[in-house]
């Protein structure tokens, strides 16, 4: 089995822009490390390891002073590069030790999202994911509702696989997503050339769509109230992008649009963060924001609760050789991208002939799993 638990040459969502300020740091366990986030004097987001190198205090309970993080124990200050900039207990004429520093991470802020690169070395991809529907001047203007970050006691693979799986709603979300028939339409998957993402669509001509009621439960009630019941299925699609972004784009016959965006980030090898957002072009008022916020919270809560209860979530890679059917294509496509990128990274790091053979064998195994489902 691969050594890596998730691809590291990727941008992962670390939080929302509004969570980070220039007074108190935000501490979050991400990619196996306790990391603090704050803003420097130029309002740029800084991400540093949370443990102070002096005596190991938690910088996450420190405060931001002059754009630096100040340790709560003896007041040492660390700048945006992680270097110690001040030691109050010694005369200013004395040198600051060279090793008085903490690791600084590569971060980027874009479209209201804070992204962190999965490795300490410089990003091989300079830009984090960018989405047209999050542009301020896109279409009729989109209204965004963000959920609070949810911590899942389940590994990255299980949480992403659940987010992209569209066969569980009748069972996991009988109230929040009522009216969907258990059988899903046939699905088309198109991989990106670099195998770092894929596009998918439910066959718009499949007669199973005629069975969709779409008028039951909270979702149905909301749709009827908002007048967005009929989907323009030719234009609806879903996407996955490395690190862990999944989104479902819906276009209605009226021309209105909505996107359900899920960003999953490994907290460590066995746990993950889940950032959810709903974006819409209609009913742009605070009351509908409130209703959608409640709905998204309940939906995400149901997902995380059930993923945590899966026995396979006690293993980093989930079940070893999952049995799959055609309706599992989106999840299998994710597995293919996930393991392909881990193998590529392992190969780049090892360079040995033996390891290359092993990686090629593992890659082939994962493709066989996907092929067996008819993809
Ligand atoms: S432990 Fe941080 S300054 Fe002493
Ligand atoms: Fe779900």
């Amino acid at each position: 089995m691969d050594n890596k638990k998730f691809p590291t040459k990727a941008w992962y969502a670390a939080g929302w822009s509004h969570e980070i300020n220039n007074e108190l740091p935000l501490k979050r366990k991400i990619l196996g490390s306790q990391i603090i986030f704050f803003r420097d004097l130029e309002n740029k987001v800084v991400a540093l390891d949370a443990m102070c190198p002096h005596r190991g205090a938690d910088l996450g309970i420190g405060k931001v002073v002059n754009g630096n993080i100040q340790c709560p124990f003896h007041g040492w200050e660390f700048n945006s590069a992680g270097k110690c900039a001040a030691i109050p207990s010694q005369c200013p004429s004395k040198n600051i030790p060279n090793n008085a520093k903490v690791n600084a991470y590569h971060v980027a802020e874009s479209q209201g999202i804070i992204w962190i690169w999965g490795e300490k070395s410089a990003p091989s991809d300079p830009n984090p994911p960018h989405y047209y529907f999050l542009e301020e001047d896109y279409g009729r203007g989109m209204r965004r509702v963000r959920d609070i970050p949810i911590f899942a006691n389940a590994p990255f693979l299980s949480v992403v696989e659940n987010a992209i799986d569209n066969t569980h709603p009748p069972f996991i979300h009988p109230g929040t997503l009522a009216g969907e028939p258990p059988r899903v339409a046939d699905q088309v998957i198109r991989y990106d050339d670099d195998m770092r993402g894929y596009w998918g669509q439910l066959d718009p001509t499949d007669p199973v769509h005629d069975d969709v009621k779409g008028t039951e439960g909270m979702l149905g009630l909301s749709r009827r109230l908002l007048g967005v019941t009929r989907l323009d299925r030719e234009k609806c699609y879903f996407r996955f992008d490395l690190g862990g972004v999944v989104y479902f784009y819906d276009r209605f016959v009226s021309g209105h649009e909505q996107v359900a965006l899920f960003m999953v980030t490994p907290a460590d090898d066995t746990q993950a963060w889940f950032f959810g957002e709903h974006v819409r072009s209609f009913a742009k008022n605070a009351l509908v924001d409130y209703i959608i916020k409640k709905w998204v919270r309940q939906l995400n809560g149901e997902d995380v609760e059930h993923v945590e209860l899966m026995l396979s979530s006690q293993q980093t890679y989930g079940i070893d050789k999952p049995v799959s059917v055609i309706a599992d294509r989106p999840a299998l496509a994710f597995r293919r991208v996930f393991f392909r990128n881990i193998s590529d990274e392992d190969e780049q790091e090892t360079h040995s002939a033996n390891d290359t053979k092993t990686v090629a064998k593992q890659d082939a195994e994962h493709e066989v799993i996907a092929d067996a489902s008819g993809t």
Side-chain angles (χ1 to χ4, degrees):
M1 187 51 83
D2 311 283
N3 292 324
K4 282 196 173 182
K5 309 300 189 275
F6 43 82
T8 52
K9 292 188 190 310
W11 289 99
Y12 287 97
W16 304 115
S17 287
H18 66 80
E19 292 185 286
I20 318 289
N21 64 51
N22 58 7
E23 294 174 357
L24 294 173
L26 169 81
K27 187 175 73 171
R28 188 159 281 162
K29 189 176 188 189
I30 288 182
L31 306 164
S33 300
Q34 294 285 359
I35 300 174
I36 55 160
F37 299 87
F38 61 94
R39 291 183 187 275
D40 66 12
L41 289 178
E42 291 168 5
N43 210 35
K44 285 176 79 172
V45 176
V46 178
L48 304 176
D49 270 335
M51 188 159 73
C52 176
H54 178 218
R55 287 296 178 273
D58 182 356
L59 297 175
I61 51 174
K63 61 184 179 200
V64 182
V65 175
N66 299 322
N68 298 328
I69 183 72
Q70 185 185 61
C71 180
F73 237 75
H74 311 95
W76 290 23
E77 289 177 30
F78 299 89
N79 65 19
S80 58
K83 277 188 68 71
C84 183
I87 298 182
S89 62
Q90 74 174 12
C91 173
S93 62
K94 297 273 187 216
N95 286 338
I96 291 176
N98 280 338
N99 55 356
K101 61 184 179 194
V102 291
N103 182 62
Y105 293 82
H106 298 278
V107 281
E109 182 169 20
S110 172
Q111 300 184 306
I113 302 163
I114 308 298
W115 300 92
I116 187 164
W117 182 248
E119 293 188 346
K120 288 170 184 164
S121 53
S124 49
D125 178 356
N127 300 311
H130 191 88
Y131 294 107
Y132 67 91
F133 51 81
L134 297 181
E135 286 294 279
E136 279 180 16
D137 57 356
Y138 172 70
R140 307 179 190 195
M142 302 292 263
R143 186 92 164 186
R144 302 173 63 174
V145 173
R146 285 160 219 166
D147 194 14
I148 53 167
I150 298 179
F151 186 74
N153 193 19
F156 174 74
L157 183 142
S158 300
V159 179
V160 176
E161 203 167 35
N162 172 76
I164 197 81
D165 165 31
N166 50 22
T167 62
H168 70 248
F171 305 96
I172 303 302
H173 310 295
T176 37
L177 283 174
E180 300 282 337
R183 184 173 89 74
V184 298
D186 198 9
Q187 300 174 82
V188 180
I189 301 287
R190 249 188 266 138
Y191 293 94
D192 296 354
D193 290 343
D194 60 8
M195 284 300 283
R196 290 176 64 82
Y198 60 90
W199 173 98
Q201 187 178 49
L202 292 157
D203 179 356
T205 63
D206 192 316
V208 73
H209 294 305
D210 299 340
D211 297 339
V212 177
K213 297 186 182 68
T215 52
E216 295 178 13
M218 276 173 71
L219 178 63
L221 178 65
S222 313
R223 281 186 170 177
R224 272 181 290 155
L225 284 172
L226 301 172
V228 285
T229 48
R230 289 187 52 222
L231 286 166
D232 185 352
R233 294 193 178 275
E234 299 257 356
K235 301 205 170 83
C236 299
Y237 68 94
F238 53 89
R239 249 203 86 80
F240 169 78
D241 289 306
L242 278 182
V245 183
V246 172
Y247 73 85
F248 294 85
Y249 171 87
D250 286 340
R251 173 80 72 95
F252 296 93
V253 172
S254 63
H256 278 301
E257 301 160 272
Q258 71 174 1
V259 183
L261 176 70
F262 308 96
M263 297 181 292
V264 185
T265 300
D268 57 24
D269 292 349
T270 59
Q271 298 172 314
W273 287 100
F274 187 85
F275 303 91
E277 176 161 15
H278 185 273
V279 186
R280 68 187 192 277
S281 68
F282 49 88
K284 293 180 270 187
N285 62 68
L287 176 63
V288 174
D289 285 351
Y290 175 79
I291 293 169
I292 288 181
K293 198 172 257 189
K294 291 282 242 191
W295 178 70
V296 167
R297 177 80 44 86
Q298 189 170 333
L299 197 65
N300 292 344
E302 288 166 355
D303 279 318
V304 169
E305 180 191 343
H306 284 84
V307 172
E308 287 181 342
L309 290 172
M310 289 167 70
L311 295 178
S312 57
S313 285
Q314 293 164 20
Q315 302 169 48
T316 303
Y317 297 109
I319 194 167
D320 192 22
K321 291 223 178 339
V323 179
S324 303
V325 293
I326 284 176
D328 296 316
R329 272 181 176 155
L332 288 170
F334 163 64
R335 280 183 168 255
R336 184 181 281 191
V337 168
F338 176 86
F339 286 111
R340 170 75 65 93
N341 279 274
I342 286 180
S343 294
D344 286 351
E345 290 179 5
D346 279 347
E347 192 175 352
Q348 284 168 24
E349 283 164 19
T350 56
H351 294 297
S352 89
N354 253 357
D355 287 339
T356 304
K357 265 187 222 150
T358 310
V359 165
K361 183 167 167 284
Q362 287 167 358
D363 195 24
E365 277 173 10
H366 297 305
E367 295 201 7
V368 169
I369 293 169
D371 288 342
S373 76
T375 54

